[in-house]
Every structure is written in C-alpha cells, then in structure tokens.
Amino acid sequence: METSDFITVLGREGHSLISAAEEAGLGSEVPTCPGWHVRDLVLHVGRVHRWATRHVAERLTEPAGLPEAEVPDELLGDWFRDGLHTLVGALDDASDDLRCWTFLRGTANARAFWARRQAHETTIHRVDAELAEGQALSPVDRDLAADGIDELLAGFHTRSRSRVRSPRPLILRVRTTDGAASEVWTMRLTEEEPSVGRGEEGDADCELSGPAELLYLALWNRLPHSGGLTVTGDADVLRLWREKSTIT
C-alpha cells in the first residue's frame, strides 16, 4: 500500500470510529478493552492522534509523551474530529524525506511509518467502538488487513518488549488464504524476543490460516481464533498468543 492509501484509511476509519462511539454512547463498555468505556476509547485515540501529529509536524527526533486531555462529554466528538483532521493534514503536508522519531521497523520513511501506524491504530479501535455499539463490524480491506498482520508480527513482536515467549522453542505460522496469492509469516518463539520471517521456515507447531481480515482481527485479539479460521497443530500456542500478545 502507498502512504496516500494509509492516509485515506486513517481519515475514513477515524470518522467511522467516532460515529460508532456516538451511537454506542460514551458510557458503554468496550468488550475488547476490559475496564474501558467508550469515553476512554475516544480519549485514548484522540490523544494518540495528537501525539502522532506532534512528531510529524514538529519533526521531533525524540519521543514525546502522550498529551493529557480533559474534555467534557458534549465536546468530545468535535475534539476527536479536530485531532483527526489535524493529523491527516500533517501527514498530507509532510514530505517523504521527513526525519522524526519512529519506533517500528519495516517502513520506508518516517511519513510512511506514521501514516501506516495511525491507519492501523484507528482501524483496530474503530472495531472496538463497533463492538461496543453491538452492531455488525464494517469490513477491513484485504490489503490493509494483510499489511496489518505484517506490522503486528514483524514490527511489534520482534521488539524486546514483546511478551510472547516460550521456554520451549515453538513455531507459529500464519497464512492468508484469500487474495491473488497466499501470504505466510513464520514466528519463532523462544525465551528471547520472537523472530519473524516471510514464507515457510521449518515445521510449524501451530498454524492459523484464513482470510486476511479475520486473521488481522484475531491476531489483535478482537475476534476469536475460530469462526472462519483454521487452526492446525497445537492450539496451546494460540492460547499463549492471546495471553501474552497485548500491545501497550
């Protein structure tokens, strides 16, 4: 996907998120974020959008802290939309030679990193808002979902912060079954941070396969590892994933 595609996704998913949040009601519980209500979800994403904007617009080379925000309920929707609009504008205006702080591998430049990261951040939390609303989920584009699997596995979970570890070496394989060609990730789990490669590498202890959209949401623990997905091998590997893979 191109950077411009991620920016388009960010804007669309942000508007869908706040619409679902307003439909659900700010006091509704978010089932996929234990302890959170919709108000907390909207505040979190709005703060993250402003945090990302600072790095892009101010070309910060060191990480900034998340901004504090105390917003009355009646102003929360406008506050969220304003932050979303500002972030989209900052990314639109940034050049591909932008230099600022980033925190994941796998993107060509800082502008591409922030557009990609915020597109996925907002998409996953849009799903949270729709689950709080109790309605059917809006679809996730297949290419976006496949890219999000790659960002999660090869980006987040190859960092030292990943808690997905095993005293016994294990291999988890993830395979898409839709699209023009299957995409495969092989994750090796040890007592160190995971390593992730593209393609089949060794015999998997467990394989999770299915359409990219369902894999994306299941690996982000927004949907169960069932219902349209196929699990082959040791299901305990997926239980380890669900218990340890939370991103903070």
Side-chain angles (χ1 to χ4, degrees):
M1 294 178 64
E2 301 293 330
T3 300
S4 59
D5 297 326
F6 287 119
I7 297 172
T8 297
V9 168
L10 167 62
R12 180 184 71 234
E13 295 290 329
H15 286 295
S16 296
L17 187 161
I18 193 60
S19 294
E22 290 171 338
E23 285 291 325
L26 297 180
S28 297
E29 293 184 355
V30 183
T32 41
C33 300
W36 274 17
H37 295 84
V38 170
R39 178 187 301 104
D40 303 308
L41 178 69
V42 174
L43 279 170
H44 167 75
V45 181
R47 292 172 67 204
V48 169
H49 285 170
R50 286 162 170 79
W51 175 74
T53 298
R54 280 203 64 196
H55 291 90
V56 173
E58 300 177 28
R59 297 174 175 256
L60 300 181
T61 58
E62 297 292 333
L66 275 177
E68 296 297 324
E70 295 184 11
V71 186
D73 286 359
E74 63 272 17
L75 300 178
L76 195 57
D78 288 342
W79 173 84
F80 181 91
R81 291 182 176 91
D82 181 64
L84 173 66
H85 176 77
T86 303
L87 174 57
V88 168
L91 289 166
D92 275 333
D93 291 343
S95 63
D96 286 337
D97 64 359
L98 170 70
R99 293 183 179 275
C100 68
W101 178 75
T102 62
F103 59 91
L104 294 180
R105 292 171 280 182
T107 44
N109 55 59
R111 178 176 181 251
F113 165 82
W114 284 106
R116 181 196 200 198
R117 176 81 288 278
Q118 292 308 300
H120 289 300
E121 175 83 7
T122 307
T123 299
I124 290 297
H125 285 312
R126 180 269 293 170
V127 170
D128 292 327
E130 290 181 343
L131 290 170
E133 185 188 1
Q135 300 299 318
L137 296 180
S138 302
V140 178
D141 176 79
R142 192 263 168 210
D143 289 344
L144 178 72
D147 180 83
I149 295 168
D150 190 70
E151 187 205 43
L152 178 62
L153 298 183
F156 279 105
H157 283 290
T158 56
R159 300 189 302 168
S160 61
R161 294 177 64 179
S162 175
R163 297 186 302 116
V164 185
R165 305 187 182 212
S166 171
R168 176 171 65 90
L170 296 170
I171 294 179
L172 170 63
R173 181 163 293 131
V174 175
R175 185 190 305 272
T176 65
T177 57
D178 57 346
S182 176
E183 295 183 65
V184 179
W185 293 262
T186 299
M187 172 176 272
R188 295 179 179 274
L189 304 178
T190 66
E191 292 181 326
E192 305 298 324
E193 63 266 23
S195 65
V196 177
R198 295 297 296 263
E200 298 191 27
E201 301 175 0
D203 295 329
D205 295 280
C206 179
E207 180 172 307
L208 182 67
S209 61
E213 177 183 16
L214 296 182
L215 287 171
Y216 177 56
L217 297 179
L219 289 167
W220 272 105
N221 294 329
R222 264 55 187 188
L223 290 179
H225 299 144
S226 59
L229 296 177
T230 299
V231 179
T232 305
D234 185 357
D236 284 343
V237 179
L238 290 179
R239 281 190 278 274
L240 172 68
W241 174 270
R242 188 167 288 278
E243 291 171 2
K244 300 295 185 180
S245 65
T246 302
I247 303 295
T248 58

